[in-house]
Amino acid sequence: MFSELLQPDLRLMLLEDDQYGLHEFCLALYPAVAAEVLHGLEPADVWRVLKASDVERQAEIFAFIDPPQQLELVDNVEREHLSKLIEVMSADDRVDLLGRMDEDHVESLLPLVAKAEREEIRKMLSYPEDCAGAIMTTEYASLPEDITVREALDRLRQQAPDSETIYYIYITDSNRALHGVITLRQLILARPGLRLADLMRRDVVAVKVSDDAEEVARQLALFDLIAIPVVDEENRLVGIITHDDVLDLVQEEANEDAYLQSAIEPLENDYLETPVVTMAKKRGVWLLLLAAVGFITAKVNEGFEGVSSRHDWLSWFLPLVLASGGNTGSQSATLVIRAITVDRSATRQKVRIASHELMTGFLLASAMSAFSFLAVMFLFGRNLQEAMVVAGTIGLVVTMGTLLGSALPLIFDRLGMDPALMSNPLISSLSDILGVVIYFSTAILILEMLL
């Protein structure tokens, strides 16, 4: 929206080389809005706009630019300027950027960065992807416990410009061991002469630097925090993770799960920025897999050709049978995947989850079976045995779909794999194979063996 409104004016400023206008553009707009307006411009033009402001403002805007465009800009600017930009970027933003860049490029760039920032960057880049250490920032406010509220406020004013957030002030000793936390609200309302040791909260909610990033998101949501401290194995404060970084992570994970559950390999870039060939590859692999499973279903169906030829009416209800099993399996898979994604404690209750789904499956199977029995007899005018075939099959495939949809994600989670890999199309395809076998086997049993 902002891009359509403001980009024509920005292009005109570039055409006229209006330095004052470019400077005001960078300062007047919120950084995220400025980044949106810059989207789609040539790298050289983007740098002309950014360089009209100081490097601190450039870093603020640069942080909101989409990752693919960031990499384009990195490739189209002199190393000296890029090193200055990286120095003033927030710790988590610059690590995100450097983590996406080519390793050789990073190594050639780091010597130009100030020593303190260089050492910090190397340390943060060493953390495994998707762990707390990889998404934290080292820009936090901390104070000793033996000072008064008056002294704390004076020191906080000095720390504030270099801190990501000052709402939480962490109480540490000389070795950075975390002892407590105080909120800015508490400091403002407390008596000036009160010591922090008497004011701080000692039972601090913290995460380990090696904890999974998704677990960090759950902890932040569970305790309704704005930020959460990150400590090492010796309980030393090494950084904090703020709510905005967790929101980005949650959105990224939700997108990834949505892609996987629809049998699409997750996209690295936005939809319209992903080349058609890349999009085809990411979708084609899954489609080929599903097609292979579909051919297995067809082969199984071929094996029961004799039964279907002797009872040609069976083909009428085959789509119903396959849809019932696939839809039920997809429902169960969605519910179970969501349960273990939102609440990790659910993974320790696999038996309870399985029994819960099994009971639900029995209820659904009973209702679907009764409905199918009545529909086959009175709507299609089939006899009792034929209605029993369809009703019995529906009951079995609904139960089977429930078990399949709940068990497979739990098994994948147990193996340390993403349960979302059990996509709805894959669950449906597997249900189709078993549905065909159950349908025709039930028909043989009731129509030919028991008659």
Side-chain angles (χ1 to χ4, degrees), residues 183-243:
T183 67
L184 182 60
R185 177 187 178 89
Q186 287 177 293
L187 276 182
I188 293 173
L189 297 177
R191 296 192 306 273
L194 191 66
R195 292 174 64 251
L196 298 191
D198 300 323
L199 183 63
M200 69 183 184
R201 179 172 180 171
R202 296 182 183 276
D203 54 335
V204 186
V205 177
V207 294
K208 298 290 187 184
V209 70
S210 57
D211 283 352
D212 185 84
E214 289 189 43
E215 179 61 26
V216 174
R218 278 185 285 271
Q219 291 293 317
L220 203 73
L222 177 63
F223 294 99
D224 198 20
L225 300 173
I226 296 175
I228 193 167
V230 183
V231 297
D232 61 15
E233 296 302 325
E234 298 178 3
N235 199 44
R236 291 178 302 191
L237 184 61
V238 294
I240 62 170
I241 297 174
T242 54
H243 68 286

Side-chain angles (χ1 to χ4, degrees), residues 118-352:
R118 182 166 67 246
E119 292 176 353
E120 181 182 286
I121 288 170
R122 290 191 185 280
K123 183 177 180 179
M124 293 187 69
L125 286 174
S126 67
Y127 293 120
E129 188 178 1
D130 296 331
C131 78
I135 62 172
M136 72 179 184
T137 179
T138 54
E139 298 168 343
Y140 55 85
S142 64
L143 296 170
E145 62 181 277
D146 58 350
I147 63 174
T148 64
V149 169
R150 182 183 292 105
E151 292 174 302
L153 289 172
D154 289 338
R155 294 195 189 187
L156 194 58
R157 290 188 187 94
Q158 298 173 4
Q159 293 187 31
D162 299 320
S163 299
E164 182 88 2
T165 177
I166 59 168
Y167 185 76
Y168 296 128
I169 301 96
Y170 300 99
I171 309 303
T172 60
D173 59 21
S174 57
N175 294 319
R176 290 188 293 109
L178 181 61
H179 291 296
V181 63
I182 295 176
T183 67
L184 182 60
R185 177 187 178 89
Q186 287 177 293
L187 276 182
I188 293 173
L189 297 177
R191 296 192 306 273
L194 191 66
R195 292 174 64 251
L196 298 191
D198 300 323
L199 183 63
M200 69 183 184
R201 179 172 180 171
R202 296 182 183 276
D203 54 335
V204 186
V205 177
V207 294
K208 298 290 187 184
V209 70
S210 57
D211 283 352
D212 185 84
E214 289 189 43
E215 179 61 26
V216 174
R218 278 185 285 271
Q219 291 293 317
L220 203 73
L222 177 63
F223 294 99
D224 198 20
L225 300 173
I226 296 175
I228 193 167
V230 183
V231 297
D232 61 15
E233 296 302 325
E234 298 178 3
N235 199 44
R236 291 178 302 191
L237 184 61
V238 294
I240 62 170
I241 297 174
T242 54
H243 68 286
D244 56 327
D245 293 319
V246 168
L247 284 175
D248 292 340
L249 172 68
V250 169
Q251 183 177 14
E252 182 181 330
E253 292 294 332
N255 288 338
E256 182 178 316
D257 287 348
Y259 286 133
L260 290 175
Q261 285 195 265
S262 300
I264 302 173
E265 187 179 341
L267 306 178
E268 286 82 12
N269 304 325
D270 291 338
Y271 174 79
L272 292 176
E273 294 177 352
T274 302
V276 173
V277 174
T278 302
M279 184 74 74
K281 287 181 180 178
K282 289 182 176 293
R283 297 171 62 177
V285 173
W286 277 97
L287 289 176
L288 288 173
L289 174 61
L290 295 174
V293 177
F295 278 115
I296 296 175
T297 305
K299 198 66 179 176
V300 172
N301 201 1
E302 182 187 25
F304 289 101
E305 186 177 5
V307 183
S308 59
S309 63
R310 292 191 297 273
H311 308 282
D312 57 354
W313 61 271
L314 288 172
S315 62
W316 303 353
F317 303 103
L318 185 58
L320 170 66
V321 169
L322 301 184
S324 298
N327 291 340
T328 308
S330 297
Q331 286 180 339
S332 293
T334 299
L335 290 169
V336 171
I337 291 171
R338 186 62 182 164
I340 61 182
T341 300
V342 173
D343 182 10
R344 293 306 299 174
S345 64
T347 61
R348 298 190 292 270
Q349 306 179 56
K350 292 183 173 62
V351 174
R352 186 179 175 188

Side-chain angles (χ1 to χ4, degrees), residues 325-326 328-330 332-333 397-411 422 426-434:
T328 308
S330 297
S332 293
V397 298
V398 168
T399 304
M400 175 271 302
T402 303
L403 289 174
L404 197 65
S406 59
L408 289 178
L410 291 173
I411 292 172
M422 277 294 100
L426 184 56
I427 292 285
S428 296
S429 299
L430 294 174
S431 297
D432 288 349
I433 298 175
L434 296 177

